Each structure stands twice: as structure tokens, then as C-alpha cells.
Amino acid sequence: MRRLGNMARREFLAGTAAGAFLLTGGSAGAKAAAPRWPDAPRPNAPRLSHVIEQLGRKRDDVYSWMKFVPEQGERTRDNIPKPVAKMLADENAYAEAMLKPTRALQDELVRAMLARGAGDVAAPAIEKDGWAYSSAIPAGATHARYIRERDGKSELLVDEAARAKGQPYFRSTGHQPSPDHRWFAWAEDVIGNDRHRIIIRDNQSGTLRTLVDKDAYGYDAMVFAPSSGWLFWIWRDARNRPTRLYRTSVDGKTTDLVYEEKDPAIFMSVKRTAADGFVALTLAGPETAEVRLLAAADETAPPMVVWPRKTGVRYEIDEWNGHLVALTDADDAFDMKLLQLDPKSFRTLATLVPHRAGTPILQLQPFQSALVRLERVDGLHQLVILRADGSERSIAFDDPAYAIELPAEQSYAAPTVMIVHQSPKSPRRWIAVDLADGKQSVVQQQQVANFNPDDYEVERLFAPAPDGEMVPVTLLSRRGTPKDGSAPLLQYGYGSYGVPSDPEFSIPALALVDRGWRYAIAHVRGGSEKGRRWFLGGRKFTKRNSFTDFIASAEHLCAGGYATKGRVIAYGLSAGGLLVGASMNIAPTLWGGVIAQVPFVDMLNTMSDVSHPLVPLFRPDWGDPLADPKAYDYIASISPYENVRAAPYPPLLCTAGLKDDRVSYWEPAKLVAEVRHRSTSDNPAILKTDMDSGHQGSADLASVYAQQALFWAFADRCLS
């Protein structure tokens, strides 16, 4: 349902590729023809009546039999029931047959992407106490190597290719040195279900040990204590909810429970504050938060509550200039304000940055000499440097659409802040900004083979929504692409949980426009591109706005000659799958095809499932159909699965992961079966399930590019 943590908004970080051939759907002046698909027999999933009575309402979920949750452990190829195993096997065989004509194009796209993008994700080293830590994907490789350097000597910390060898799945996260640099730790998932083990390296001897063998939650969920003697980490319960904070000694001999959260609607994260004064445990839900601190002077003491949780008040805590700082929406500061707190009493001492409606504060990065914040102005990122004397300096860029990142783990004592600037036509640039005078120095730039940014143009357009709101749209085209409606268009959207779809550089997206396509990002309501009110305008009982915004964006692009109705491919991931699924139901003939990656499309049944790990957390976002008739009726009116109708549906491609506990495989399986049952067109509805992965595939570039190549080749087939 949600892409959690910082990984949550990086669908296209895997970048895009080049090649000398044209996708048939993107040929200039190409005439749209009926889609050409193999004549393969379609799976016919049984429709078995399963009447559900709820709040005086009845529904018949005829595909409920597809759902399988084991009594304990994870779903695997070996334990799924035979009818489910047969259904998934039949669907994968059908997907293979239908997509077989695209295989050559997929392979060529992957080769082109790797040729242009392999090794492009290297970032400059982060320097701490004389050590320089960095990671890079070597030329020709698909996994990263983590190293540290000092006095001209390099030391290999992690070789992910070696760690991944022989594993059907591999993804790692949380790589970090201890404050004293004796240790280096990371979390890795070799199963595909987001349940991690934690590995620690002794940098004196070079030996590796498994510090936590299973059930760790890796994302924003592990940190060394300021003393370097402990590693704090978060545990996932049997329902995959992060519910406990543990403290394990670096020698592995002692593990203590620090805190256990009983409320299933609360999510947990842990970090060290900037000056290493505290370990901060943040307990947060969509509408509340509570931070508990462990002081560096007493790391084994019970954590101290800064402000008790209160519905309607969210906050985060860090430290700067001898005090704590709180980023909060208290007192109706819905786009956040910044307060200074006493580090002992937690009393508010001053307002450092007042609330400014429409200028949301997104992130803080404290340094010894300045407090850096990332915010949005008119929907675009801006960096602001606040000095101890109260003076400020703002850093922005002239691009029509761009994104700024603040990398983590920067040294508190650094005289500069490292930022990453990128746009859909500008590769990632790491820029050091002097905290004293704001001077910028480009430290490193992503290298992209055979690429000239002047060959592309980025536009920031505004589509009028039915209620008069103006929806931002980021559009990437090859320069000179005609505005006569002849170019095919792929439109991406997300629009949930306040997660923005920032205009980042993407090698797969670039590959698409290199072949005559346009690539658009519709910044629909439900995201936070225009502040928290933009999020609230596409949440819960206003969620339909997200769908009508997405449709309005496509129609606006067609009206402007950027595309033609019926030659627009809709693409969404996870909750973005809800967006494209609902938009497909509302306006099926607008789209030339729909790509729904691990899509959240069985809303009513999922939000009625109290055992689902994310349902209690996200009830404020969707409503509670178990207790609130209004929520039941509203969800029933927008859920893609419940609202498939007799209509000429476009070609549909859905993907799933067998081990996914966020959006389970049966959600897209049900949607595909229902579309296949009701559609009045001959277009295929395809389900492709990865039997070894969860919500995400393996993290190597080959796997990432293969997925994008599949989508682009499917899009090409839709319009060929």
C-alpha cells in the first residue's frame, strides 16, 4: 500500500537508457493501429460466490479464494494452496505468451540501459573524522561496493555482488559506520519479504558477523549509539509491523528491549541526532507523533518522552546550536514550523521559522555553523541556510522542474552542505554549498554515456481540474518533438500519503523519449507537491480528486497537441496502481494501455482486514469500512476491483510479488480477472507475478532495468 521510509518516492531512481532503434509506438507520424497480441488462451479464474455482510451492506467477492495467508511464516512456492499455485502459474504462462513478441525489444532495452547507466550511481564520499565513506557500482557490474579511504589507502567494507551471489533475491539498506569508525553495519534482505538480518564488520580485523539473524526492519530502523558500543534496531512482529526497539552490544553478547509499541496504528523509526547527543525513537502515525530520546550520557536509561502523542500534532526532533529543534505542525501549522527547545526540560524557547502556508518545510540537516532546511516554494524545492544569528540564505535553481536532495550521514562539523540537484534532463549533480557564503561547487556529476541535455526539453504545465484546481505536470520530450498529437505519451502518477513525485533524472524515462515518446509526471492531489493541503485534497473522502486530476492531466496534454486520446499509457506503482486503476475505470477509452506495478486495487477488502500489517496505520488516509458506513460507501465507490464495468478496457499489465505483505498478489490478480470478465474489448489483461520477491524486486541494476524494459516494451506493443 505504501512505499515506506525514504525509499518510498524513488520509483525512477534507476534512471534511463539510450539506443539507436525506435519503439514502433514512437515513430514520428506513426498511424495508430489496433494492438497486435498473440492468440493465446486466456486463463479463466473460477468465480466462486463469497458473500460478505458488513455494516448492513453486502458484496460478493467471487475471487476471494485467491487470497492465501499462511498460519505462520511467509508465503512460498511450496506452501501456497494448489488452486492458487495453478492460478499464478497459468497467469505467468499467459503473460509469457502475450509478452513473447516484446522479448527482443526488452533485451535490447536492458542492454542499452546498462550501457548508458551502469556505474552511474556513484556519489562523492562523505567525510567524517578523516575517513571518507563512499559506494559505487563498478563499470560492467550491477551491485555496489562500499569502501572507506584515509591517507590514500582504500578499504573494502562490503562487496554486494559477493553477498548476493547464489541468492534468488538481494536488497540491502542502512549502511553506516559507528561514530568511532571501528564498526560498519548494514541490513540485508535475502528472502524478499522486507525482514532483514543485520551484518556488522569489525574494521580492525575485517571480519563479518551476523549481529541480528532475522526479523529486523531495515529502513530508517537501525543506528549505532553515540558511544559505538551498541546498535539500536527495530524488530518486526509476526504481522510484519515494526513494534519493538532493541539495543544489541556490538559484540553480540547482550540484547535488551528498549521500547515496545502496542498501538498498531503507529510506525517506528530511529536515528542519532546530528551532534550525536541523543538517540531519537520516533513513533508516528498519519495524524500523530511522539519522540523518545536516549541521551548519549546514559544510553541504557529509559527513553524520555519529548511531547506525549496527541491526535492532530506531528513532530520530529533533532539538535542544533546547543538546543533541540522541533519540526512540527502544532497550533495549525499545517505546512510545519521550526521551534527551539530546551534539551533538558523540552520547553519551547523560541520560534526559529514560523509557519508559512504553502511553503512546507520538508527536511532538516543541522550543522555546527548553520541549520539547513529543505522546503518548497511554488511547488519547487528550495534550500535555506539559517545561521545562529538568525540570518538566512536561500538556494534555488532556474530549471522549470527539478529536485534537490539532502543526503544523510553528513558530518555535523562540515563547513559545507552536500546537496544533489537533478531534473528530468539533468543528471544528478553533487554540489557542496558553503554554509558561510552560499558559494556552490560541483563536486561530482552522474556520468551518462552519449547524452547531451540540450537534446531534451522539460516543461512545467498546469492542467485545470474539474473543480478549478491547477494540477502541475512535469513533461520531458526530445527537443523538436512535434506538438501535433502524433507522439505517444506515458504518464506516471502516485498521489497518496503526501508522498511527492519529484521530477528526477531517470535513465528508463530518458530511453522512452529517445524513441519518440513523451514522458509526463502528473503531480496529482494526495501528494504534497503544493503543501499539506494538496495532500488532504486527495485523501480519504476527497480521494476521487486524485483520479480526476490524473485524467485532467492527460486530457490537457492531448488538448495541447502533446498526445492523442487513446495513445496515452498510464503507469502507477503501489498506491499509484490505485490511481491508474481507478482512472482506467472512469475513462477507459482515454488510455492506450495501463501499467499497474504491485497495485493497491482491492481497497474495500484490504481496509476491512484487521490482520493486514498496514491497515491500522493507514485508516486515517482511507477510512475504516468496518466501523464507518460513510467510509465503506466511499471506498466501495472508488475501489478499482469493485468498480470494473462493462466497457472497452485498454490493454492492462499488472505485476505482483508472491511475498509482498504490503500489496498482496491477490489484489492485482482479482483486478485482472474482473477486467477480463467484464471488458467489451479484445485487449488482454495480464498478470505477471515474481515468485521470489515482495513489494520490491532485487536491487541490482539488471533487475531494475529489466522491469522497466518490460513496461516500455508493453507500452510499445499497446500502440503498435
Side-chain angles (χ1 to χ4, degrees), residues 20 48 203 206 235 245 309 393 635 704:
L48 306 178
N203 291 332
W235 174 83
L245 177 69
R309 67 190 73 173
R393 179 183 292 271
I635 293 173
V704 172

Side-chain angles (χ1 to χ4, degrees), residues 230-553:
W230 302 90
L231 185 81
F232 290 88
W233 59 278
I234 291 173
W235 174 83
R236 302 190 75 171
D237 67 13
R239 292 183 175 178
N240 282 326
R241 294 170 180 151
T243 57
R244 295 179 188 168
L245 177 69
Y246 283 101
R247 176 179 54 231
T248 296
S249 58
V250 292
D251 60 12
K253 295 180 179 179
T254 303
T255 295
D256 300 323
L257 176 63
V258 178
Y259 177 80
E260 182 170 11
E261 178 58 51
K262 301 295 186 181
D263 186 346
I266 293 295
F267 204 77
M268 304 174 69
S269 62
V270 65
K271 68 176 184 179
R272 231 175 25 251
T273 53
D276 286 346
F278 301 88
V279 170
L281 172 66
T282 300
L283 308 161
E287 296 180 328
T288 190
E290 179 179 282
V291 178
R292 296 179 177 233
L293 298 178
L294 294 100
D298 194 358
E299 294 171 346
T300 60
M304 304 171 289
V305 177
V306 179
W307 298 337
R309 67 190 73 173
K310 180 181 179 182
T311 300
V313 176
R314 300 171 299 132
Y315 71 102
E316 302 172 12
I317 295 293
D318 215 311
E319 62 176 326
W320 176 61
N321 197 27
H323 298 90
L324 296 177
V325 289
L327 183 62
T328 180
D329 63 356
D331 305 315
D332 201 32
F334 51 85
D335 278 330
M336 311 302 277
K337 62 182 177 180
L338 187 58
L339 305 178
Q340 183 184 73
L341 309 183
D342 183 277
K344 294 182 178 179
S345 68
F346 307 142
R347 181 172 57 89
T348 300
L349 301 177
T351 298
L352 298 176
V353 180
H355 173 246
R356 296 151 300 154
T359 305
I361 303 174
L362 309 176
Q363 184 181 347
L364 299 179
Q365 185 73 56
F367 293 87
Q368 202 165 52
S369 61
L371 179 59
V372 176
R373 70 181 186 269
L374 183 64
E375 59 188 29
R376 289 189 193 274
V377 177
D378 296 327
L380 295 177
H381 284 152
Q382 174 178 271
L383 194 79
V384 182
I385 300 171
L386 172 65
R387 303 181 186 89
D389 63 6
S391 61
E392 289 189 346
R393 179 183 292 271
S394 299
I395 307 291
F397 296 86
D398 294 332
D399 311 68
Y402 64 90
I404 297 175
E405 295 176 28
L406 275 174
E409 302 297 325
Q410 300 194 47
S411 173
Y412 186 68
T416 61
V417 55
M418 185 74 71
I419 67 172
V420 183
H421 167 272
Q422 61 186 310
S423 84
K425 73 166 193 172
S426 304
R428 294 161 65 85
R429 293 187 300 152
W430 285 264
I431 302 171
V433 181
D434 192 283
L435 295 171
D437 59 16
K439 183 179 178 181
Q440 300 178 35
S441 302
V442 177
V443 177
Q444 195 160 310
Q445 183 162 336
Q446 176 182 355
Q447 298 302 309
V448 182
N450 304 314
F451 171 73
N452 181 354
D454 292 336
D455 291 340
Y456 307 89
E457 58 181 343
V458 175
E459 298 174 74
R460 191 168 186 244
L461 308 173
F462 292 89
D467 62 358
E469 286 282 4
M470 302 301 289
V471 183
V473 180
T474 299
L475 186 67
L476 174 67
S477 308
R478 194 165 181 92
R479 192 172 298 279
T481 301
K483 295 182 182 178
D484 59 2
S486 62
L489 171 75
L490 184 135
Q491 179 172 292
Y492 172 81
Y494 186 73
S496 290
Y497 309 115
V499 175
S501 299
D502 288 322
E504 299 172 345
F505 184 77
S506 162
I507 287 179
L510 198 68
L512 204 58
V513 302
D514 276 345
R515 291 151 178 88
W517 288 66
R518 285 190 167 94
Y519 166 63
I521 304 172
H523 304 282
V524 302
R525 277 174 281 187
S528 60
E529 287 87 338
K530 295 172 74 172
R532 185 164 175 82
R533 285 184 171 169
W534 196 246
F535 159 51
L536 297 177
R539 182 199 198 205
K540 204 171 182 178
F541 298 129
T542 59
K543 184 61 195 171
R544 192 179 296 274
N545 287 336
S546 301
F547 316 146
T548 53
D549 284 356
F550 193 72
I551 292 168
S553 297

Side-chain angles (χ1 to χ4, degrees), residues 33-63:
R36 294 177 287 110
W37 302 98
D39 186 18
R42 301 181 180 187
N44 186 18
R47 296 173 63 82
L48 306 178
S49 180
H50 179 73
V51 176
I52 301 171
E53 296 188 23
Q54 196 170 322
L55 298 180
R57 286 111 170 114
K58 289 184 179 182
R59 65 183 184 275
D60 192 359
D61 183 7
V62 297
Y63 298 119

Side-chain angles (χ1 to χ4, degrees), residues 129 142 147 186 195 372 395 405 439 507 520 604 611 670 702:
D129 306 321
T142 58
I147 64 172
W186 67 95
R195 303 183 82 94
V372 176
I395 307 291
E405 295 176 28
K439 183 179 178 181
I507 287 179
L604 188 55
S611 68
K670 287 180 174 185

